[in-house]
Amino acid sequence: RINWDNGHTPPYLDDWWMECSNGVWATRKVALLEITSTSTSTSVTTTTMTSTTATTTTLSTTTGTMTSTTRTGTTTTETTTTTRRWFALTGACEHKGFLNDLVFVEAGMTANGAPWFASLIASRQQPQFVYYDLDCNGGGDGVPRWIIDTSRPIENRTEDIDDDGACSYHARFDSMDPTFPPAAGQWYVSCATGWRREVL
């Protein structure tokens, strides 16, 4: 259970009271991920064509033959269920400790063809973003990299994704792979004493 003012949707990420082993209640952080389903139906169309041929005998008796043709057409469509990709972040230095335990969920795609991710935020917490940038300041000589940032990415841009004209962010990971951030890589993180390598 959780005390929550919004009666329409539960919080995406927050601390819940959960009944654990032996009836003991404990606080656990719970992330609720949205699943989007698209369902379509299968339709069957039947068309019947009937023709009648009549003949008359000398006894004024009418006889007829009837033929019937039935055509059946079937249209089948697929039902698909898609789940947004997500990951949890850990390993940041104390200065960036607010990033630890954040859950990031795929939120869209930028013009460079890479996905971007938004954090599921608890109450009073600022959202964070992870995105792929070909040139973080748009100067023409940048290195492609994954970035953790406070600024929301602009989807119609391929470089300087946050449109700030600078390489300002929490952390970076140089990479030629735009499909997904590294599962466990050495990031350069802006810590209290300067930039440090941290495994995130």
Side-chain angles (χ1 to χ4, degrees):
R1 69 174 186 269
I2 185 173
N3 296 329
W4 189 249
D5 295 333
N6 187 342
H8 299 287
T9 57
Y12 290 125
L13 178 68
D14 218 321
D15 294 325
W16 289 65
W17 275 101
M18 302 188 70
E19 185 180 6
C20 300
S21 61
N22 300 323
V24 177
W25 287 81
T27 301
R28 293 290 183 270
K29 190 173 294 295
V30 177
L32 303 178
L33 303 181
E34 178 185 3
I35 297 177
T36 303
S37 299
T38 303
S39 299
T40 52
S41 60
T42 300
S43 60
V44 178
T45 303
T46 301
T47 303
T48 301
M49 300 177 62
T50 303
S51 61
T52 303
T53 303
T55 58
T56 304
T57 66
T58 56
L59 299 175
S60 299
T61 301
T62 302
T63 61
T65 60
M66 178 178 292
T67 61
S68 178
T69 303
T70 301
R71 293 190 179 95
T72 301
T74 302
T75 302
T76 304
T77 52
E78 296 182 354
T79 300
T80 58
T81 300
T82 57
T83 304
R84 293 185 294 176
R85 295 180 294 175
W86 65 278
F87 60 89
L89 191 148
T90 59
C93 58
E94 184 178 357
H95 186 61
K96 297 295 182 181
F98 58 88
L99 295 173
N100 290 325
D101 297 325
L102 285 182
V103 175
F104 290 85
V105 177
E106 187 172 358
M109 182 175 293
T110 60
N112 59 30
W116 63 274
F117 302 82
S119 63
L120 297 178
I121 60 172
S123 56
R124 301 180 301 279
Q125 194 174 21
Q126 185 177 13
Q128 305 295 328
F129 303 93
V130 176
Y131 56 86
Y132 188 77
D133 204 328
L134 296 176
D135 185 354
C136 58
N137 63 7
D141 57 352
V143 176
R145 59 185 46 153
W146 285 99
I147 287 173
I148 305 173
D149 199 355
T150 303
S151 300
R152 181 188 179 98
I154 302 172
E155 290 195 334
N156 62 2
R157 298 183 67 88
T158 60
E159 58 187 36
D160 190 13
I161 299 295
D162 60 354
D163 195 25
D164 65 351
C167 295
S168 177
Y169 37 70
H170 299 308
R172 71 176 185 267
F173 181 87
D174 295 350
S175 174
M176 297 301 294
D177 182 5
T179 57
F180 201 78
Q186 288 204 354
W187 292 66
Y188 276 101
V189 184
S190 178
C191 298
T193 56
W195 290 93
R196 285 171 40 185
R197 282 185 177 271
E198 301 280 345
V199 177
L200 306 182

